[in-house]
Amino acid sequence: GRRPHHPDYSFGDLISLFVVRELLRKGVAPHTIHDAETWLRKKWKTERPFVSGDIQTDGRGIFVDDDLIAGQIESADRHGQQVLRELVRERLTRVRYHEGVAAYWIPVDGVLVDPRVQFGEPVLAGTRLTTSLISDAARELGPDWTAGRYRIGAADVRRALRFEKRLASAALA
């Protein structure tokens, strides 16, 4: 049911979902994520606060930089309570930010999702080749033919096949 070049979700939606998933993976409770998102929506007056590059976690809470006090961060799930930066070091790493806003996402090594490249379709990093194109070609014509035709390595073909398989299984779940 995919419509080419007409995404069902915006890049901001995908990044927000990714950040929530990463927070859950790091052990943050769902109610903590909800509380932080609610507070940040009001504070920053934005519908998608998790698209900011300032989101940090220690595995229990969610923190953002406090622009007013150097060395301090705010606990978003505790409505802005101040915390010393040294106590919280772990950051989300797969979303890359530019000027405080998500610029692109690396869902797995070697795959890039960037709204400026191929309409935000997942591509093999360093190319403009979509993972769906490479995966479809490899299934129809073989991995060796695909690697030669598109001048990419066999590892890139395998990466595209694995990524598309993960996407398909996630869509069915």
Side-chain angles (χ1 to χ4, degrees), residues 95-108:
V95 178
R96 302 295 191 252
Y97 298 89
H98 179 69
E99 296 180 0
V101 177
Y104 61 92
W105 173 34
I106 303 168
V108 297

Side-chain angles (χ1 to χ4, degrees), residues 79-127:
H79 306 282
Q81 181 178 346
Q82 299 293 309
V83 178
L84 287 173
R85 183 179 307 281
E86 290 76 34
L87 298 177
V88 182
R89 295 200 179 272
E90 193 171 336
R91 288 185 176 260
L92 301 171
T93 57
R94 292 228 181 231
V95 178
R96 302 295 191 252
Y97 298 89
H98 179 69
E99 296 180 0
V101 177
Y104 61 92
W105 173 34
I106 303 168
V108 297
D109 288 337
V111 174
L112 172 75
V113 177
D114 185 332
R116 299 166 300 175
V117 178
Q118 298 293 36
F119 302 98
E121 290 284 323
V123 297
L124 292 171
T127 76

Side-chain angles (χ1 to χ4, degrees), residues 22-36 56-63 75-78 83 87-88 90:
E22 288 300 301
L23 290 168
L24 289 168
R25 281 184 176 174
K26 292 180 186 293
V28 180
H31 68 85
T32 301
I33 296 169
H34 178 267
D35 291 347
Q56 304 169 58
T57 186
D58 63 353
R60 289 180 288 162
I62 299 171
F63 307 94
S75 174
D77 52 294
R78 293 189 185 129
V83 178
L87 298 177
V88 182
E90 193 171 336

Side-chain angles (χ1 to χ4, degrees), residues 27-48:
V28 180
H31 68 85
T32 301
I33 296 169
H34 178 267
D35 291 347
E37 185 176 33
T38 300
W39 183 75
L40 289 170
R41 277 183 180 156
K42 291 176 187 171
K43 177 184 170 86
W44 293 341
K45 297 177 178 64
T46 182
E47 187 63 26
R48 296 278 180 248

Side-chain angles (χ1 to χ4, degrees), residues 141-153:
L141 302 165
D144 293 336
W145 182 91
T146 302
R149 170 66 175 91
Y150 292 103
R151 297 183 181 144
I152 58 175

